[in-house]
């Protein structure tokens, strides 16, 4: 019993904080559920990209930021080509996939030269790739790389604007299958406003609000999780697990260690690319130069909060983490405001918690490994 509590100390700490933060925020259950559904759909795919490198013994992939940048480049050119709605998301994915694969191969080669120090290497690699990305979007696009839609460019004629509106893409995947949860009165009002254009309507007694479900994105995430479960039983996944346990033994067994590790990084980078596209279609705005900055930090923090470690993570950790992490994100600012009269304190608190949880999880994992 005590061992289980120690092993799950991080999620238990967060659950304790949430028990106090939720009532202090004074938010309604309807608002919290709506925000939680939206944020879970928005972020889950990004977190999913972290599972494969952990399986292969590469630890937490701070370099997933490379995939996020590839997704943003795909969205920029998708907007330039004039695509709208779901077609724009598919076009962005097709454009960014080869970029993400190339970046994944490059990252995998680098990490193979930094065995035993993959996390710090991927963290520094993220800074390096960010510099290359800034060079491309700030100088090369519009100057060396042609752009048809001049509205995307800075006034000087080259370089992408700081902020790009994704109004033609916003929630295209989320609302692909319209679905709501409501009560009888809420359903009547919602149907009048939307001409009854609802694929799935869930009516609950004693509930007069309306909660929109991003069903299209949720279905895609569920399918991706099922594919991930299937993948975990494939030979490639077993090879990754063998490498994670003992690379020398894996070499002796005829497993191509370096190639398998590169494959794990490529898969992670491509999934992060798709995850960033899903994230931004929900947000509806692309912050060209900073939209990818916190993708790795918050995704890793959420996964660790769900009870994962740098050597063990699963889909249950993904969903537990994204729910706990975003409950803090939703409630902390208002809880801070109601507790001490300053909402900004809540903002500082949740950023501080993100770094603290990563540090705490790494310390706990290091202690476990030392004891073992």
């Amino acid at each position: 019993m005590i061992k289980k509590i120690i092993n799950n100390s991080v999620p238990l700490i967060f659950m304790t904080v949430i028990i106090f933060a939720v009532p202090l925020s004074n938010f309604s259950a309807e608002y919290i559920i709506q925000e939680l559904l939206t944020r879970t759909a928005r972020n889950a795919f990004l977190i999913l990209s972290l599972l494969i490198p952990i399986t292969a013994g590469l630890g937490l992939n701070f370099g997933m930021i490379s995939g996020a940048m590839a997704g943003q480049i795909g969205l920029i050119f998708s907007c330039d080509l004039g695509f709208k709605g779901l077609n724009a998301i598919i076009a962005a994915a097709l454009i960014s996939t080869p970029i993400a694969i190339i970046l994944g191969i490059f990252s995998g080669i680098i990490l193979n030269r930094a065995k035993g120090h993959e996390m710090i290497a991927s963290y520094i690699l993220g800074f390096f790739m960010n510099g290359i990305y800034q060079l491309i979007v700030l100088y090369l696009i519009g100057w060396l790389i042609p752009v048809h839609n001049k509205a995307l460019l800075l006034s000087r004629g080259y370089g992408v604007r700081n902020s790009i509106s994704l109004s033609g893409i916003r929630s295209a995947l989320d609302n692909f299958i319209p679905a709501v949860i409501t009560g009888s009165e809420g359903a009547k009002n919602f149907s009048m406003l939307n001409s009854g254009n609802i694929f799935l309507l869930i009516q609950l007694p004693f509930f007069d609000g309306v909660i929109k479900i991003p069903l299209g994105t949720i279905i895609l995430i569920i399918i991706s999780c099922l594919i991930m479960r299937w993948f975990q039983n494939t030979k490639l996944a077993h090879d990754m697990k063998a490498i994670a346990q003992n690379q020398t033994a894996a070499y002796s067994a005829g497993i191509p260690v370096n190639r398998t590790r590169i494959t794990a990084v490529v898969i992670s980078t491509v999934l992060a690319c798709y995850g960033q596209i899903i994230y931004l279609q929900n947000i509806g705005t692309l912050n060209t130069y900073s939209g990818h900055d916190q993708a790795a930090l918050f995704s890793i923090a959420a996964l660790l909060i769900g009870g994962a470690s740098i050597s063990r993570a699963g889909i249950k950790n993904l969903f537990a983490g994204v729910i706990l992490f975003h409950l803090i994100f939703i409630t902390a600012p208002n809880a801070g405001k109601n507790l001490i009269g300053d909402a900004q304190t809540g903002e500082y608190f949740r950023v501080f918690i993100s770094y603290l949880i990563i540090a705490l999880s790494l310390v706990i994992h290091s202690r476990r490994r030392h004891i073992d």
Side-chain angles (χ1 to χ4, degrees):
M1 182 65 180
I2 295 175
K3 187 177 180 180
K4 283 187 176 181
I5 292 174
I6 294 172
N7 290 340
N8 294 283
S9 56
V10 174
L12 287 174
I13 290 169
F14 249 71
M15 288 176 69
T16 304
V17 173
I18 288 168
I19 289 171
F20 291 98
V22 170
L24 279 172
S25 69
N26 289 336
F27 285 135
S28 66
E30 177 189 344
Y31 176 82
I32 292 176
I33 293 170
Q34 177 68 80
E35 284 293 305
L36 200 55
L37 281 171
T38 302
R39 289 170 179 269
T40 299
R42 180 190 299 166
N43 291 275
F45 211 101
L46 274 170
I47 303 171
L48 187 69
S49 69
L50 295 168
L51 300 186
I52 296 296
I54 292 174
T55 301
L58 291 161
L60 301 166
N61 182 21
F62 287 91
M64 65 175 283
I65 189 175
S66 299
M69 290 184 284
Q72 291 183 179
I73 290 175
L75 281 171
I76 290 169
F77 285 104
S78 177
C79 291
D80 178 49
L81 294 171
F83 288 105
K84 302 288 183 181
L86 201 60
N87 290 334
I89 295 174
I90 295 171
L94 292 174
I95 293 168
S96 57
T97 297
I99 301 172
I101 290 173
I102 293 170
L103 293 177
I105 292 172
F106 174 74
S107 299
I109 292 171
I110 297 297
L111 295 184
N112 277 340
R113 294 177 177 271
K115 289 178 180 174
H117 307 281
E118 289 89 352
M119 283 194 293
I120 186 63
S122 65
Y123 189 72
I124 299 303
L125 186 61
F127 284 111
F128 170 74
M129 295 310 303
N130 186 45
I132 301 296
Y133 169 81
Q134 302 288 348
L135 174 66
I136 292 171
V137 296
L138 189 57
Y139 292 104
L140 299 186
I141 293 181
W143 174 54
L144 192 62
I145 303 171
V147 171
H148 302 93
N149 184 0
K150 302 303 180 183
L152 296 175
L153 301 178
L154 296 167
S155 57
R156 65 188 182 184
Y158 62 90
V160 182
R161 289 183 178 274
N162 292 338
S163 181
I164 297 175
S165 173
L166 301 177
S167 56
I169 302 176
R170 184 170 187 177
S171 298
L173 181 59
D174 295 341
N175 298 331
F176 180 64
I177 305 176
V180 296
I181 300 173
T182 182
S184 56
E185 189 64 30
K188 186 192 302 181
N189 296 333
F190 193 80
S191 297
M192 286 192 298
L193 290 172
N194 295 274
S195 304
N197 185 27
I198 303 296
F199 175 81
L200 177 64
L201 177 64
I202 301 174
Q203 290 185 272
L204 300 177
F206 312 111
F207 179 61
D208 293 330
V210 175
I211 296 174
K212 296 181 182 179
I213 308 173
L215 191 58
T217 306
I218 289 173
I219 289 175
L220 177 61
I221 291 168
I222 291 172
I223 292 172
S224 301
C225 289
L226 292 174
I227 293 173
M228 185 67 72
R229 290 295 297 271
W230 166 82
F231 175 80
Q232 289 172 348
N233 294 317
T234 62
K235 182 182 182 303
L236 179 58
H238 289 304
D239 288 350
M240 290 179 182
K241 293 173 185 176
I243 292 169
Q245 290 174 2
N246 191 314
Q247 289 190 31
T248 304
Y251 269 121
S252 302
I255 296 173
V257 174
N258 288 343
R259 189 176 68 190
T260 303
R261 283 161 57 94
I262 290 173
T263 301
V265 178
V266 169
I267 294 172
S268 177
T269 307
V270 172
L271 290 178
C273 165
Y274 298 157
Q276 186 72 354
I277 293 172
I278 292 171
Y279 174 87
L280 290 173
Q281 66 85 34
N282 179 273
I283 295 292
T285 302
L286 168 58
N287 292 320
T288 309
Y289 300 98
S290 61
H292 55 280
D293 282 348
Q294 303 298 325
L297 172 65
F298 289 158
S299 297
I300 289 170
L303 188 63
L304 293 175
I305 288 164
S309 71
I310 63 173
S311 61
R312 177 189 57 81
I315 292 171
K316 64 179 181 180
N317 303 122
L318 185 162
F319 286 107
V322 76
I323 290 171
L324 292 174
F325 187 65
H326 284 290
L327 272 174
I328 285 290
F329 256 63
I330 295 163
T331 59
N334 223 46
K337 180 181 177 181
N338 293 332
L339 187 63
I340 59 176
D342 184 10
Q344 191 63 41
T345 301
E347 293 285 343
Y348 291 142
F349 174 72
R350 64 189 187 184
V351 173
F352 162 75
I353 282 292
S354 301
Y355 286 102
L356 175 64
I357 289 301
I358 292 176
L360 181 61
S361 297
L362 295 179
V363 169
I364 291 173
H365 174 76
S366 177
R367 181 171 176 78
R368 283 181 195 160
R369 188 167 57 179
H370 178 73
I371 292 173
D372 294 340

